[in-house]
Amino acid sequence: MRFTSRVLRDVRVRFAPSPTGRLHLGSLRTALFNYLFARKHGGAFILRIEDTDRSRLVPGCAEKFEETLGTFGLKRDESPMVGGAFGPYTQSERGAIYAQHSERLLDSGHCYRCFCSSERLDILRKGALRAGELPRYDNRCRSVSKAESDERARNGEAFVVRFKFDKQNVAFHDLVYGSNNQIADEGDFVVMKSDGFPTYHFANVVDDRLMAISHVIRGAEWLASTPKHVKLYEAFEWTPPNFVHLPLITRDGKKKLSKRDADAYVAYYIEERGYLPVAVLNFLLRNGSGISGFQPGNLYSLDELIQRFDVNLIGTRDFMMDRSALDTYGRLAFRSTHRETLLQNVAKHLKTHASADIDPALLEPAYIQRVIDFISSNEENFAAFDELVTGDFSFFFGRPSSAAKLLERFDATTALTICDALLELERFDIAGVKAVAKQLKMKPKEVMAATRCALIDSFKGPPLSELFGFFSDDECRTRIQFLKESLKEGSVSAKAS
Ligand SMILES: Nc1ncnc2c1ncn2[C@@H]1O[C@H](COP(=O)(O)OP(=O)(O)OP(=O)(O)O)[C@@H](O)[C@H]1O
């Protein structure tokens, strides 16, 4: 069944992360698809916080999710912070709603209380595993009479609420994966835990219904649980929403990227490394899935992505995280970003990440502008701001901090002699360096290499003539003088101001 790509009525989608860690690239991709779908069809994009797993809560996460979505321009129409007519949008604040709905299914006979101890469940689980089977509850408490169940609950006995799961006729249609009857059959599943909190499945169904969600767009790891949800909708006599499961970003082609992967955090790429958000979004879509006319290597704005988004084009193949592609988009993003914005972002990143004793003059817009012009005039570009702080272009914002690099190629006496001779120059230019080479009876190439290293702490990099054009004579002298001092002290760790 093809999905008609037109403006639909009453489209409401939700991105529903659990606040158990920072947002990672996989979740961001799923959030992006939700957002594109909502905007494409004139609908609402909702953020719901699914915090029913109390044991894994990380304080502050939910607020950070809102901030991160904002950073990427994924504007929420409703959320815990934005508010909205269907709130509260945090599941832990919806306890009374779940209790009331579980009562409803207890009354209708679709659910029952289960008093089995955790020891008994453990024995069942281990027995199944020993037999090479999937653990499955044996539905024992189904046979406890209503009167006995009420009595035991009144007496304060601990219980969970289970749903009578009939796995017949559970097929459903998914807009990406098509007809589906995958099923994780664990027997009658829990809807309310003994701590009074709902399970993911139950809260999800109740909230999606009460929040009038038209399309459930989430990662494919939930495909196998969807039959449970379908059965819950049936029990409530509700029409299920449309299901749109998305392929997952994997670490290695198999394992789903998750909050436990330290280098998968969105904040790491934006705040630490300094990639522009639009670069990350394009990176996440780089296999073209869901985007009409997608050309790899092109950079698309969020508006263009909305225009091109088509749910029928979402493929079912999982997507491996290959970070090397991110730099390509990083470079494209810098090239296409408005100068003013770029300047502000560079300054902001430097203020946070450069060393505390950085010369304030280096943070002036005019200086940053010169750096950017210099880099782009060399047909080069940076992919992320951290290249200006710790990477190939860091020499613009920090002087060499030791003579270690120079000593990789020159012995200390030769290095010192070259520094002394360079410091005698009135002007720093190629002719001056050649004159020094002649005076020291060295090859010009060698003295040029030493000079470049004194200026930028590297034997590679822009032509020396351009470096002389960029740095003032005073700055060249300061850098060479510093190196001379370090060589004299024999120190390799002295810090430049
Ligand atoms: N690797 C992934 N690729 C694509 N979507 C994902 C990925 N991981 C999670 N999602 C989706 O992102 C949404 C929010 O997920 P959530 O915040 O619970 O992250 P999670 O990584 O699944 O958490 P956990 O740490 O419990 O594994 C869900 O719809 C989920 O299916």
Side-chain angles (χ1 to χ4, degrees):
M1 184 174 74
R2 251 180 95 78
F3 175 78
T4 322
S5 197
R6 60 185 159 79
V7 174
L8 300 172
R9 285 188 52 215
D10 303 326
V11 162
R12 291 175 55 81
V13 300
R14 87 298 191 271
F15 172 59
S18 46
T20 50
R22 289 172 293 171
L23 205 68
H24 60 75
L25 292 172
S27 300
L28 177 65
R29 187 165 190 263
T30 292
L32 174 64
F33 277 118
N34 271 282
Y35 177 84
L36 295 177
F37 187 86
R39 291 293 173 263
K40 175 83 184 196
H41 299 290
F45 173 62
I46 295 145
L47 171 70
R48 184 170 77 217
I49 300 297
E50 303 210 330
D51 59 347
T52 54
D53 184 353
R54 308 305 288 171
S55 61
R56 290 182 57 212
L57 276 193
V58 176
C61 249
E63 293 76 10
K64 193 75 188 158
F65 289 162
E66 302 239 16
E67 190 189 315
T68 306
L69 294 179
T71 301
F72 285 89
L74 309 185
K75 188 171 167 293
R76 293 92 63 220
D77 299 298
E78 297 164 35
S79 79
M81 281 165 93
V82 172
F86 295 80
Y89 294 91
T90 302
Q91 288 188 329
S92 57
E93 294 168 24
R94 299 172 64 82
I97 297 172
Y98 307 125
Q100 187 197 342
H101 282 80
S102 104
E103 281 299 320
R104 184 167 150 190
L105 292 189
L106 279 168
D107 288 347
S108 65
H110 288 97
C111 281
Y112 61 90
R113 293 189 194 94
C114 167
F115 299 94
C116 290
S117 64
S118 49
E119 290 76 24
R120 176 169 192 276
L121 297 176
D122 210 35
I123 291 168
L124 280 182
R125 201 178 59 81
K126 285 183 179 149
L129 291 177
R130 260 198 308 278
E133 291 165 6
L134 279 179
R136 186 178 181 287
Y137 178 59
D138 61 0
N139 302 347
R140 179 183 184 175
C141 288
R142 260 199 202 203
S143 58
V144 176
S145 72
K146 176 93 171 66
E148 182 189 335
S149 170
D150 289 348
E151 172 75 17
R152 289 169 75 174
R154 260 197 309 275
N155 291 339
E157 203 174 319
F159 63 85
V160 298
V161 178
R162 287 187 186 268
F163 180 76
K164 289 180 186 165
F165 183 55
D166 159 20
K167 63 177 182 175
Q168 301 307 308
N169 305 322
V170 289
F172 65 96
H173 185 82
D174 184 86
L175 288 177
V176 171
Y177 287 81
S179 285
N180 221 289
N181 55 7
Q182 273 192 51
I183 182 158
D185 181 14
E186 307 151 17
D188 292 345
F189 60 88
V190 176
V191 293
M192 293 294 278
K193 298 181 271 190
S194 55
D195 61 4
F197 278 92
T199 56
Y200 167 83
H201 308 294
F202 191 62
N204 223 260
V205 166
V206 170
D207 288 347
D208 285 342
R209 169 70 186 194
L210 298 189
M211 294 181 182
I213 298 302
S214 62
H215 294 76
V216 168
I217 305 179
R218 63 185 169 202
E221 80 271 33
W222 298 111
L223 260 178
S225 310
T226 306
K228 292 180 182 169
H229 304 177
V230 170
K231 287 289 171 182
L232 281 168
Y233 281 103
E234 260 176 43
F236 280 119
E237 298 181 8
W238 292 337
T239 309
N242 297 288
F243 292 107
V244 183
H245 285 88
L246 302 173
L248 299 171
I249 299 195
T250 63
R251 159 145 302 277
D252 51 5
K254 284 185 232 109
K255 201 172 153 283
K256 169 176 105 84
L257 206 65
S258 90
K259 299 202 180 84
R260 295 160 191 91
D261 294 308
D263 63 347
Y265 292 122
V266 174
Y268 166 72
Y269 293 96
I270 300 295
E271 290 163 24
E272 299 295 315
R273 303 291 314 281
Y275 286 95
L276 287 172
V278 69
V280 176
L281 292 185
N282 277 265
F283 165 71
L284 292 176
L285 296 176
R286 76 181 192 282
N287 63 358
S289 182
I291 308 296
S292 130
F294 184 86
Q295 298 287 329
N298 269 11
L299 191 84
Y300 298 97
S301 69
L302 201 50
D303 283 345
E304 283 171 311
L305 291 172
I306 294 168
Q307 294 313 316
R308 289 170 179 272
F309 182 72
D310 180 350
V311 76
N312 295 304
L313 300 179
I314 300 178
T316 54
R317 279 181 64 167
D318 285 347
F319 176 70
M320 195 148 87
M321 189 169 89
D322 168 13
R323 283 188 297 152
S324 60
L326 185 52
D327 281 356
T328 309
Y329 290 102
R331 289 197 180 88
L332 284 172
F334 283 119
R335 216 165 283 149
S336 67
T337 299
H338 193 267
R339 262 302 149 95
E340 208 49 42
T341 316
L342 202 53
L343 285 180
Q344 282 165 10
N345 280 301
V346 171
K348 195 168 143 211
H349 191 85
L350 287 166
K351 273 181 196 144
T352 323
H353 296 281
S355 72
D357 55 3
I358 185 170
D359 181 347
L362 303 184
L363 300 177
E364 289 297 324
Y367 180 76
I368 297 174
Q369 177 75 65
R370 279 189 69 216
V371 172
I372 293 173
D373 288 344
F374 183 94
I375 293 173
S376 30
S377 71
N378 274 283
E379 295 207 354
E380 288 192 58
N381 214 334
F382 44 98
F385 295 132
D386 74 338
E387 288 174 49
L388 299 174
V389 180
T390 54
D392 286 353
F393 301 113
S394 57
F395 61 84
F396 285 117
F397 297 97
R399 294 169 182 148
S401 61
S402 81
K405 189 82 195 168
L406 193 61
L407 291 173
E408 283 175 14
R409 190 144 153 192
F410 297 92
D411 63 65
T413 315
T414 312
L416 205 52
T417 311
I418 297 173
C419 286
D420 275 335
L422 288 172
L423 287 169
E424 293 297 316
L425 290 174
E426 257 173 50
R427 281 192 57 219
F428 285 90
D429 56 18
I430 298 296
V433 175
K434 283 185 176 162
V436 167
K438 198 168 172 192
Q439 175 197 333
L440 300 179
K441 298 192 176 36
M442 290 179 72
K443 288 187 183 147
K445 218 171 85 187
E446 286 296 278
V447 181
M448 283 195 198
T451 313
R452 177 184 286 109
C453 191
L455 295 181
I456 67 172
D457 205 22
S458 169
F459 292 112
K460 289 186 282 193
L464 197 53
S465 56
E466 292 188 23
L467 290 174
F468 285 147
F470 185 86
F471 292 123
S472 67
D473 285 343
D474 277 352
E475 179 64 22
C476 291
R477 201 162 285 116
T478 306
R479 290 185 179 220
I480 296 165
Q481 182 67 42
F482 169 76
L483 233 58
K484 179 184 160 178
E485 299 305 323
S486 320
L487 287 164
K488 275 196 342 209
E489 285 165 18
S491 151
V492 288
S493 60
K495 186 99 181 67
S497 65

